[in-house]
Amino acid sequence: MIPRHPSFFTYTTIAVLVAAVVCGCAVNPVTGEKQLSLISVQQELHLGQQQYPINQQQQGGQYTIDPHLQDYVSKVGQKLARVSDQPQLPYEFVVLNNAVPNAWALPGGKIAINRGLLVLLEDEAELAAVLSHEIVHAAARHSATALSRQQLLGTGLAVLDAATKDSAYADLISTGSQLGGSAYIARYGRSDELQSDKYGMRYMAAAGYDPQGAIRLQRKFVALSEGRQANGLAALFASHPPSQSRVSANIEHSQSLPKGGVTNRGVYQKAIAQLKRDVPAYKHYDQALQAAGKQHYDDALRLVRKAQQQQPKEAAFFTLEGDLLAQKKQYAKARSAYDRAIEKNPTLFSHWLKRGIASAALNDYTSAERDLSRSLRYLDTAYAHYYLGDIYEQQGNPQIAYKHYQTAARAGGEIGSKAQARMQALTGNG
């Protein structure tokens, strides 16, 4: 038997890490420098492609009120992507129906920006600053480095929760907080953020934008982080921490870039005009969520119905009405509200999920099974599996019920515990 020194495992771990770093070096496509990467390009592309729809579903889905805004943001993003160091990546840009001011990038150039951030920007140059920053994260393979580092440290992938914790999808009244399977995104270090600022400004200039837009953007974020709105911007600041040093670095970067460039303020303001017109409606919606959180359901219903009057095309307003009515056990009325939400946006899992749960409460198992199964096409959730299990159990099909409960149980949490209890009851171990 080999005697083991107290530091044996430490030395062994260090040796493994060093070997991994030596064997796992790759070239940063943007800077040309070597960086850690234990993930292949193909794995990275697959991860981005797989996680992109999951992230979108968990964060409100795509903004659908004004389709022209989606086209506009995508056009600006693709213009910047063409002058990036990795123009061949399968870039995509979407606007999410999420009030949290944030933007993010997944591997392979899968990029999203929330409507909550768009209303804080002043012109197209500032939008270009946001999108080019995210493009650099993708082009420089920052995700591969961050995920490789997490693998070495044994921490795995980081759960993307900052973007949902302040939204309607974090703690939905009728279904609880664990709505979907986990969506993942890498956490970037300070050096990656500074690198994305620097090269993002170069992309801006190459695409004809005024790089001063990046300076104005960072100054705005610093001011917001110091003001009363800071709490509402926690998700943005967690993933993109602002600082005066970043402002100073951007000023320094700008000195080597061409002067001038377009800002397109008028074009930008026209593009977000619908969002700005709808600010009062979303304000009433946010107030309704706050009232619901305090269990003031009648006040919440009054507020959300006011929001519906102001913007009758927004599906989320009718979904919240359904949640509130379901909380009051008015399931038939709740189902009617979910009907209207689905009519306005049939591509979001939560609309089908909630209508299915309402139908199950009304003992309409045929409709419930159809809607719950439909929700799984968009996002595989523990809740859909739990209620499908309940439906099959009620209909005398314990084998299929058990399989759905088993899937739901793997999610853990409250719904997982409930599923585990039903599994035990079905096997006679309860």
Side-chain angles (χ1 to χ4, degrees):
M1 181 175 180
I2 301 173
R4 305 209 173 190
H5 188 276
S7 300
F8 177 83
F9 292 108
T10 302
Y11 295 149
T12 303
T13 302
I14 291 173
V16 171
L17 291 176
V18 170
V21 170
V22 171
C23 297
C25 280
V27 174
N28 183 317
V30 174
T31 67
E33 300 172 351
K34 288 186 177 181
Q35 64 184 20
L36 175 66
S37 180
L38 303 178
I39 298 172
S40 71
V41 172
Q42 287 304 313
Q43 287 174 317
E44 205 178 357
L45 291 172
H46 176 72
L47 179 64
Q49 190 72 38
Q50 178 190 57
Q51 292 294 320
Y52 200 42
I54 294 175
N55 275 271
Q56 291 182 48
Q57 286 287 326
Q58 289 192 323
Q59 296 176 59
Q62 294 189 23
Y63 172 73
T64 60
I65 301 298
D66 182 6
H68 297 296
L69 182 60
Q70 292 281 358
D71 295 338
Y72 169 72
V73 169
S74 180
K75 183 178 179 181
V76 173
Q78 294 295 347
K79 182 178 180 181
L80 291 159
R82 283 193 293 271
V83 299
S84 74
D85 291 281
Q86 291 275 276
Q88 77 282 1
L89 289 179
Y91 290 99
E92 291 183 60
F93 302 86
V94 296
V95 178
L96 296 184
N97 191 20
N98 194 310
V100 178
N102 206 4
W104 46 262
L106 289 177
K110 306 306 184 186
I111 293 166
I113 183 170
N114 292 354
R115 61 172 171 80
L117 181 54
L118 289 174
V119 295
L120 294 179
L121 307 180
E122 294 295 329
D123 55 44
E124 193 172 300
E126 291 185 8
L127 172 62
V130 173
L131 297 181
S132 61
H133 179 97
E134 302 301 336
I135 287 170
V136 177
H137 280 316
R141 300 193 67 210
H142 287 162
S143 293
T145 299
L147 297 178
S148 298
R149 188 181 302 116
Q150 289 166 0
Q151 283 184 7
L152 287 176
L153 295 175
T155 56
L157 298 173
V159 178
L160 177 64
D161 57 0
T164 57
K165 70 177 184 178
D166 294 325
S167 74
Y169 301 87
D171 190 18
L172 289 167
I173 294 164
S174 61
T175 57
S177 60
Q178 296 178 336
L179 284 170
S182 296
Y184 296 101
I185 193 168
R187 297 192 187 282
Y188 304 120
R190 181 175 178 273
S191 62
D192 289 345
E193 287 296 293
L194 292 172
Q195 193 176 100
S196 290
D197 285 348
K198 177 181 179 179
Y199 288 92
M201 291 178 70
R202 293 186 182 183
Y203 295 171
M204 289 176 67
Y209 289 108
D210 181 4
Q212 295 294 317
I215 299 172
R216 293 196 305 275
L217 181 69
Q218 283 302 317
R219 281 178 170 155
K220 179 179 294 183
F221 288 164
V222 169
L224 289 170
S225 70
E226 296 171 347
R228 289 182 296 178
Q229 298 184 54
N231 289 337
L233 301 170
L236 173 65
F237 297 155
S239 56
H240 304 87
S243 66
Q244 190 56 47
S245 64
R246 286 182 70 177
V247 174
S248 300
N250 283 359
I251 292 173
E252 184 178 347
H253 299 327
S254 70
Q255 293 173 359
S256 63
L257 297 174
K259 307 299 179 185
V262 301
T263 61
N264 288 345
R265 188 181 192 281
V267 175
Y268 182 79
Q269 290 297 322
K270 183 178 179 181
I272 66 165
Q274 186 64 58
L275 276 181
K276 296 188 86 169
R277 284 194 295 269
D278 289 338
V279 165
Y282 286 115
K283 184 177 180 179
H284 283 126
Y285 173 69
D286 292 339
Q287 290 172 341
L289 286 172
Q290 292 172 7
K294 298 175 183 176
Q295 299 185 355
H296 299 163
Y297 300 125
D298 290 333
D299 289 341
L301 275 169
R302 176 180 55 79
L303 287 163
V304 79
R305 284 167 177 162
K306 187 175 293 187
Q308 292 170 1
Q309 293 171 359
Q310 293 169 311
Q311 178 45 276
K313 294 181 181 180
E314 178 53 82
F317 299 166
F318 295 92
T319 303
L320 180 56
E321 180 186 19
D323 294 343
L324 294 164
L325 292 167
Q327 183 65 30
K328 293 162 68 71
K329 302 190 184 304
Q330 298 178 18
Y331 297 113
K333 291 182 178 180
R335 184 162 66 172
S336 295
Y338 295 139
D339 286 345
R340 299 187 69 183
I342 289 171
E343 288 172 5
K344 297 171 193 307
N345 184 2
T347 65
L348 194 62
F349 83 99
S350 55
H351 299 164
W352 298 99
L353 173 64
K354 292 176 179 185
R355 192 171 75 172
I357 293 172
S359 292
L362 294 167
N363 297 323
D364 183 355
Y365 297 132
T366 300
S367 296
E369 181 184 359
R370 178 198 63 211
D371 285 352
L372 292 169
S373 297
R374 181 69 176 269
S375 78
L376 291 172
R377 298 183 198 174
Y378 298 105
L379 187 65
D380 197 282
T381 67
Y383 278 92
H385 285 290
Y386 176 83
Y387 283 100
L388 281 168
D390 183 61
I391 288 169
Y392 284 116
E393 185 178 355
Q394 296 294 335
Q395 293 179 321
N397 197 331
Q399 290 182 327
I400 296 180
Y402 187 89
K403 289 180 180 179
H404 282 289
Y405 286 141
Q406 192 173 42
T407 301
R410 287 196 290 266
E414 181 183 354
I415 197 68
S417 297
K418 290 173 69 174
Q420 189 71 41
R422 294 310 312 150
M423 291 166 61
Q424 292 173 349
L426 285 175
T427 56
N429 297 324

